Amino acid sequence: MPARSENLIAWGDCDAAGIVYFPKYFHFMNVAFQALMHNGGFGHRRLHDELGVHVPIVDAGAKFLSPLRYEDRLVVEAKVVHWGTKSFRIAYKGVRANVPVFEGYEARVWARIATDGTIATVAIAPEFKTAIAAAGG
Amino acid sequence: MPARSENLIAWGDCDAAGIVYFPKYFHFMNVAFQALMHNGGFGHRRLHDELGVHVPIVDAGAKFLSPLRYEDRLVVEAKVVHWGTKSFRIAYKGVRANVPVFEGYEARVWARIATDGTIATVAIAPEFKTAIAAAGG
Amino acid sequence: MPARSENLIAWGDCDAAGIVYFPKYFHFMNVAFQALMHNGGFGHRRLHDELGVHVPIVDAGAKFLSPLRYEDRLVVEAKVVHWGTKSFRIAYKGVRANVPVFEGYEARVWARIATDGTIATVAIAPEFKTAIAAAGG
Amino acid sequence: MPARSENLIAWGDCDAAGIVYFPKYFHFMNVAFQALMHNGGFGHRRLHDELGVHVPIVDAGAKFLSPLRYEDRLVVEAKVVHWGTKSFRIAYKGVRANVPVFEGYEARVWARIATDGTIATVAIAPEFKTAIAAAGG
């Protein structure tokens, strides 16, 4: 079962056409991934503070199937669909009351990020995979 | 020649890893498209106020090739790579001092958007295509 | 009793210092006001769709008392502290586990906003005041 | 003479009323401050990478005088109006073609920010004050 997160669409999430400004959907995917990690007991803080690791995105995309307005409720499901040695891929589905809103994906890497922003990938720790899987992702 | 827009990366564009938060890149694509329309004399305002039309996105994606920090300068090139009857596709390239930062795309439709957010596609006016082409897009 | 809304701080809400980027707090105030209106049965949609009215902000400010990181939980309390004929003032308190995070305010007006962005204030409907008061605001 | 920065209002900066979503104005102030520091040769990077210092905000506010739409040009003037030992205050004015848009302020501190987000204020280096003053701020 994929992990789920819920978002109430805010007035400020919408653009002048009265519907969600599409970069926000990538933010909502990010929020769903954060929830997935948190549910698995392996959040951004633990990743960074204990292991010095980040999970930057190297590829992302989405198809937008129906628009949302402010005051709508968006549920986002997140599921890891591929684990590589240093990278993994998450599939997302956004729905409002069972109406499909978007389908998207992110490819992320495990990496150390230097102060100057340089990204060096590292092997994903097995316990991270286990934690995410346990959380339904 | 594609249209170009320039962005100075702001402190607030970056996340806790010190690099641009990736949904912002989709915002920068949006800004580049706005510049392209503006250069062609056919901006969002004219589209909306004269024709009652919007250009919502139905598909978008990007590959992120190298990170940016605050105070970096990002140049985004935008070029329409496909014109359909009701939809079109824009290709984007982001560079910092000739270093590739991202490659992305958006598929957009011409549409009327009702007060309840419902989207109805309409045929793209020929003069819109002409204007965008004249602006290098 | 003031109305309360809860926010989980997202990775993307934070800046390169690892703490919430301060304009986001004004967004969280906005979200709390949206929740207050919603609880009173008089949300943005009803305001706009039925009455053609918006509630733009003419003055806002906040003192930031302690920082938040990603994965923190922020509770925002909202209470209307002044009702004028056409304007009203909301006071906000943000807390994390009883630690004060910020204190802020917004002054808003009831207004019609024309397509060109022009704002014309109008008298606040008594039923709006009643609805907000009933919701604890 | 205060330092000036210019912003083209993006489609995505506006809300469903078609005008700039007000938290964005605090972002634009932040951008103007970044420009002021950059003009003085003492940007965020130099502050952080050389001195380990940040300039978090402890108080901010603004009055909004007239609305902006997408495709408007906003010029923001920034000037430091008070220097304390550890804190300083910046006044901002936003204009569009000489029409006042907003007046705002930020109070900032010089500080070290620990990994857990804790803020410890430190005395402002004299060369920072000199650099900002030289840049017109």
Side-chain angles (χ1 to χ4, degrees):
Chain A
M1 203 182 70
R4 300 162 64 94
S5 71
E6 190 173 317
N7 312 269
L8 178 62
I9 302 300
W11 172 258
D13 292 330
C14 297
D15 64 21
I19 58 177
V20 170
Y21 182 53
F22 88 98
K24 283 277 173 175
Y25 287 115
F26 291 99
H27 174 69
F28 294 136
M29 289 188 218
N30 213 283
V31 166
F33 180 65
Q34 179 170 326
L36 175 57
M37 287 199 301
H38 185 264
N39 292 347
F42 220 130
H44 282 296
R45 284 200 199 182
R46 185 172 162 203
L47 263 185
H48 180 256
D49 297 356
E50 288 183 19
L51 303 175
V53 163
H54 289 296
V55 281
I57 284 156
V58 294
D59 192 355
K63 292 185 194 305
F64 304 104
L65 307 171
S66 64
L68 290 183
R69 294 179 75 195
Y70 43 95
E71 301 177 0
D72 277 331
R73 283 189 186 276
L74 169 68
V75 172
V76 182
E77 294 183 353
K79 186 153 188 61
V80 175
V81 290
H82 173 74
W83 286 107
T85 307
K86 296 179 171 183
S87 67
F88 58 110
R89 186 178 175 98
I90 311 122
Y92 297 94
K93 284 188 190 176
V95 297
R96 175 183 59 81
N98 296 320
V99 177
V101 171
F102 72 83
E103 292 183 1
Y105 70 92
E106 294 172 333
R108 292 177 179 259
V109 291
W110 257 47
R112 300 193 195 286
I113 301 181
T115 302
D116 70 356
T118 309
I119 293 176
T121 55
V122 295
I124 302 169
E127 57 264 39
F128 182 73
K129 298 183 184 180
T130 306
I132 297 294
Chain B
M1 203 182 70
R4 297 162 65 93
S5 72
E6 191 173 317
N7 312 268
L8 178 63
I9 302 301
W11 172 259
D13 293 330
C14 297
D15 63 22
I19 59 176
V20 170
Y21 182 53
F22 87 98
K24 282 276 173 177
Y25 287 115
F26 291 98
H27 175 69
F28 294 136
M29 290 188 216
N30 213 282
V31 166
F33 180 66
Q34 178 170 324
L36 175 57
M37 288 200 299
H38 184 264
N39 292 349
F42 221 130
H44 282 295
R45 283 199 200 183
R46 186 172 161 202
L47 263 185
H48 180 255
D49 297 355
E50 289 183 19
L51 302 176
V53 164
H54 289 296
V55 282
I57 284 156
V58 294
D59 192 356
K63 291 185 194 305
F64 304 104
L65 308 171
S66 63
L68 290 183
R69 292 180 76 195
Y70 43 95
E71 300 177 2
D72 276 330
R73 283 190 185 277
L74 169 68
V75 173
V76 182
E77 295 184 352
K79 188 156 185 60
V80 175
V81 291
H82 173 74
W83 285 109
T85 306
K86 297 179 169 181
S87 67
F88 57 110
R89 187 179 174 97
I90 311 121
Y92 297 95
K93 284 188 189 174
V95 297
R96 174 183 60 82
N98 297 319
V99 176
V101 171
F102 71 83
E103 292 184 0
Y105 70 91
E106 294 172 334
R108 291 178 181 259
V109 291
W110 257 46
R112 299 191 196 287
I113 301 181
T115 302
D116 70 356
T118 309
I119 293 177
T121 57
V122 295
I124 302 170
E127 56 265 38
F128 182 74
K129 297 183 183 180
T130 306
I132 297 295
Chain C
M1 202 182 71
R4 299 161 64 93
S5 71
E6 190 173 316
N7 312 268
L8 178 63
I9 302 301
W11 172 258
D13 293 329
C14 298
D15 64 21
I19 58 176
V20 170
Y21 182 52
F22 87 97
K24 283 277 173 176
Y25 287 115
F26 291 98
H27 175 70
F28 294 136
M29 290 188 218
N30 214 282
V31 167
F33 180 66
Q34 178 171 324
L36 174 58
M37 288 199 300
H38 185 265
N39 291 349
F42 220 130
H44 282 296
R45 284 199 198 183
R46 185 172 162 203
L47 262 185
H48 180 256
D49 296 356
E50 288 183 19
L51 302 176
V53 164
H54 289 297
V55 282
I57 284 156
V58 294
D59 192 356
K63 291 185 194 306
F64 304 105
L65 307 171
S66 64
L68 291 183
R69 295 179 75 195
Y70 43 95
E71 302 177 0
D72 276 331
R73 283 190 186 276
L74 169 67
V75 173
V76 182
E77 295 183 352
K79 186 154 188 61
V80 175
V81 290
H82 173 75
W83 285 108
T85 306
K86 298 179 170 183
S87 67
F88 57 111
R89 186 178 175 98
I90 310 120
Y92 297 95
K93 284 188 190 176
V95 297
R96 175 184 59 82
N98 296 319
V99 176
V101 170
F102 71 83
E103 292 183 1
Y105 71 91
E106 293 173 333
R108 292 178 179 260
V109 291
W110 258 46
R112 300 192 194 286
I113 301 181
T115 302
D116 71 356
T118 310
I119 293 177
T121 56
V122 294
I124 302 169
E127 57 265 39
F128 182 73
K129 297 183 185 181
T130 306
I132 297 294
Chain D
M1 203 182 69
R4 298 162 63 94
S5 71
E6 190 172 316
N7 312 268
L8 179 62
I9 302 301
W11 172 259
D13 293 330
C14 297
D15 63 22
I19 58 176
V20 170
Y21 182 53
F22 88 97
K24 282 277 173 175
Y25 287 114
F26 291 98
H27 175 69
F28 293 136
M29 290 188 217
N30 214 283
V31 166
F33 180 66
Q34 179 170 324
L36 175 58
M37 288 199 300
H38 185 263
N39 292 348
F42 220 131
H44 282 295
R45 283 199 200 182
R46 185 173 162 203
L47 262 185
H48 180 255
D49 296 356
E50 289 183 18
L51 303 176
V53 163
H54 289 296
V55 283
I57 284 156
V58 294
D59 191 356
K63 292 183 193 306
F64 304 104
L65 308 171
S66 64
L68 290 183
R69 293 179 75 195
Y70 43 95
E71 301 178 1
D72 277 330
R73 282 189 187 277
L74 169 67
V75 173
V76 182
E77 294 183 353
K79 188 155 186 61
V80 175
V81 291
H82 173 74
W83 286 108
T85 306
K86 297 179 169 181
S87 67
F88 58 111
R89 187 179 175 98
I90 310 122
Y92 297 95
K93 285 188 189 176
V95 297
R96 175 183 60 81
N98 297 319
V99 176
V101 170
F102 72 82
E103 292 183 0
Y105 70 91
E106 293 172 334
R108 291 178 180 259
V109 291
W110 257 47
R112 299 191 196 286
I113 301 181
T115 302
D116 70 357
T118 310
I119 294 178
T121 56
V122 294
I124 302 169
E127 56 266 39
F128 182 74
K129 298 183 184 181
T130 306
I132 296 295

